[in-house]
Structures are given as C-alpha cells and as structure tokens.
Amino acid sequence: MTLKQLEESTAYLKQKGFDAPEIGIVLGTGLGKLVDEIENPIVAHYNHIPFFPLATVEFHSGKLIYGTMAGKTVVVMQGRFHLYEGYDLLDVTYPIRVMHALGIKKLFISNAAGAIDLSFKKGDLMLIKDHINLQGGSPLAFKNVAEFGDRFVDMGEPYDRSMQEKIRAIAQRENISLQEGVYVSVVGPQLETKAEYRMLKIIGADAVGMSTVPEVIVANHLRLPILAVSVLTDECDPDNLQPINIEEIIRIAGEAEPKMIKLFKELIKEI
Ligand code: HPA
C-alpha cells in the first residue's frame, strides 16, 4: 500500500461526487438495508475503485455509497472484506483509509456476532466497549506504516466514549435493548469448537465474530472516533451447541436490523 494508491482511490471517488462525507459506516453481514435510507445516493462498485482489493466471486456486490442521512453526508460500505475470504489485513482495512482520506470525521461499524455471554439472546444488539484481537496479526504491521501515521498506536480507549453515551441514551429513549461488552475477533470461516467457546468466555469475551477489529485498529491509527455495534445472531453455549446455520444467522441479523438502523440514524442526527 502506498499513499499514491490511496490518492488515486480517493480521486476516483471525489470525481464521482463523494464530496467530504462526515460519517463513514461499515455494514455487517445481513445488515445492508440501511442503504435504503440514504438520500441522493451515489454508488461506486468496489470493482471499479482503483486499488480497492480485487473482489472474490462471492463478493461481487460490494459497494461504497455516498449520500445524505438524517441531514448529514455519509459514506457507507455495503459489504466488507474479511480475512476468511483470503484477503490480507491491509486489504481488509484499505476502505477505512479511503473513507478517512475522503474526509470522514467519525466511523460507525456493525457486524453479526455470536453471543458468548449467555445472558444475551439471539437478536439482541451489543455495544462494543472493548475488543480482543485473536486474528493473529495487525493491519499496522507493514514496512512503510510510518508514512501513514504512528507505528505504536495507543489502544487504551479504542471506542469513543461520548458516542457510547449518546447511543445508550438513544436506546433507552427508543426502548431498544442494548447490551454492552467485549468483542473478540477470530479469523474463521469455521465456527468455534466447544472448547474454543469456553476459552473465549474465560479470556473475557462477550461476543465473537470474524471482522471489525482490524478496521478499529486502523481507525485508531487514523484517530477516527469509532462507534461499533454487534447484532447477536446465535448463542454460543458450549453445553448445548446447535449446528451452525448461516441462513438463520442472516435471518436473525435481518430481523434485528431495524433496531440498528434506528440507533445509527438517531446518532447521526445528534452528532
Ligand atoms: N462465531 C464466530 N463468528 C460469528 C458467530 C460465531 O458464533 N456468529 C456470527 N458470527
């Protein structure tokens, strides 16, 4: 990755009309409907953006969408890149750098995750307060990282406190139950064994998923304030583990999606 590549990606989008978006939003698996709320959308397919990671067959539909939501300009990633698709950590986080170069001042992230804390239920939302990186690498471990910012990035407070306070208040006001906890990222794509779910609980995780953490590390590198929410799509009970059902995970994410859209929209209004 070079600064020149980043400039070319950004120039392409600016010329399409992606003009100084205020907020970047990453939409997780099964959580694409928020894009229906974007006014005056301009769409850029990932495949057409110079230096964007080359899409896998499965991932032909990834798009970056620019427009207005709740009175603010946004740029939304419909579909993200995952390590389990064979991308590396620089690929996975490249779009975050592009959105930052376009000018975003805040980043919202959503994902689908499994509930490790068994007091949480399928379909609940969880505000991510902290995370554990179990993906075995860092998106900042590359030779010319110094061209992009510090090498040693502080991670003592990776999620923005004031946006957390705001979203808590919004959830309460809107009567949406919002759990809170620690998200652990794994590579996947296989799900966890019972022994792994037990381990994840012991090390302090409340939810597990296959994304988000690299994006959050890079957003911290860029000093972007982050707000992240998981939609809990399955309950990871090692003593009563159900066989994985991806259709069900996507269905549960879709059912919980209106709550997430509501929270994000209200938060956009208030920041
Ligand atoms: N494990 C990992 N990733 C996930 C899960 C899970 O149980 N559910 C949704 N994404």
Side-chain angles (χ1 to χ4, degrees):
M1 183 178 55
T2 64
L3 284 170
K4 190 147 188 310
Q5 290 173 347
L6 201 52
E7 277 165 23
E8 281 191 42
S9 305
T10 314
Y12 170 84
L13 291 164
K14 282 191 177 156
Q15 153 266 312
K16 275 187 79 84
F18 284 54
D19 183 27
E22 294 159 272
I23 299 165
I25 304 177
V26 183
L27 297 178
T29 304
L31 299 168
K33 283 227 185 72
L34 180 128
V35 302
D36 298 341
E37 311 272 327
I38 303 173
E39 295 157 44
N40 305 316
I42 305 174
V43 177
H45 290 268
Y46 293 165
N47 290 355
H48 298 161
I49 307 172
F51 299 108
F52 244 56
L54 274 182
T56 57
V57 181
E58 205 179 328
F59 199 44
H60 59 282
S61 67
K63 308 179 194 86
L64 209 53
I65 304 163
Y66 172 90
T68 310
M69 246 184 99
K72 301 222 168 55
T73 49
V74 297
V75 55
V76 180
M77 282 179 72
Q78 189 177 29
R80 58 147 63 86
F81 299 94
H82 298 91
L83 281 183
Y84 66 72
E85 294 164 298
Y87 298 105
D88 66 27
L89 285 161
L90 289 186
D91 294 332
V92 165
T93 52
Y94 189 73
I96 305 296
R97 295 192 181 276
V98 170
M99 292 193 289
H100 173 261
L102 285 171
I104 63 165
K105 299 287 181 266
K106 295 192 162 54
L107 180 65
F108 296 179
I109 298 182
S110 63
N111 62 47
I116 300 283
D117 180 332
L118 297 175
S119 71
F120 299 170
K121 297 295 163 219
K122 273 188 211 183
D124 280 355
L125 302 182
M126 186 190 90
L127 177 63
I128 302 180
K129 293 212 298 188
D130 205 345
H131 72 226
I132 298 171
N133 180 10
L134 282 193
Q135 293 192 323
S138 165
L140 305 182
F142 60 97
K143 285 186 180 144
N144 57 331
V145 69
E147 290 172 31
F148 295 85
D150 298 336
R151 187 179 291 276
F152 301 102
V153 174
D154 194 284
M155 291 295 284
E157 197 77 72
Y159 300 87
D160 183 75
R161 278 197 177 243
S162 85
M163 288 200 286
Q164 288 179 47
E165 277 166 31
K166 286 198 170 73
I167 204 164
R168 271 187 205 111
I170 293 165
Q172 199 158 36
R173 186 179 81 212
E174 300 292 335
N175 224 349
I176 294 171
S177 113
L178 183 61
Q179 311 287 6
E180 302 193 5
V182 173
Y183 174 92
V184 59
S185 66
V186 295
V187 176
Q190 75 284 359
L191 278 286
E192 288 65 39
T193 63
K194 293 171 193 160
E196 286 166 340
Y197 282 133
R198 288 194 185 99
M199 172 194 73
L200 296 177
K201 193 178 186 82
I202 289 166
I203 65 172
D206 299 298
V208 55
M210 303 174 190
S211 68
T212 302
V213 168
E215 293 146 336
V216 170
I217 292 171
V218 165
N220 273 270
H221 192 222
L222 300 167
R223 301 176 193 273
L224 268 178
I226 303 148
L227 182 285
V229 173
S230 291
V231 175
L232 303 176
T233 52
D234 54 310
E235 294 162 20
C236 308
D237 180 356
D239 299 320
N240 179 28
L241 197 57
Q242 306 302 315
I244 177 69
N245 179 340
I246 293 297
E247 289 73 36
E248 155 125 325
I249 284 186
I250 292 172
R251 181 177 62 77
I252 303 264
E255 281 172 16
E257 187 174 25
K259 296 189 284 186
M260 195 201 74
I261 292 175
K262 183 79 189 166
L263 292 183
F264 277 13
K265 242 180 133 170
E266 293 298 312
L267 187 61
I268 292 171
K269 266 188 218 162
E270 291 184 19
I271 58 178

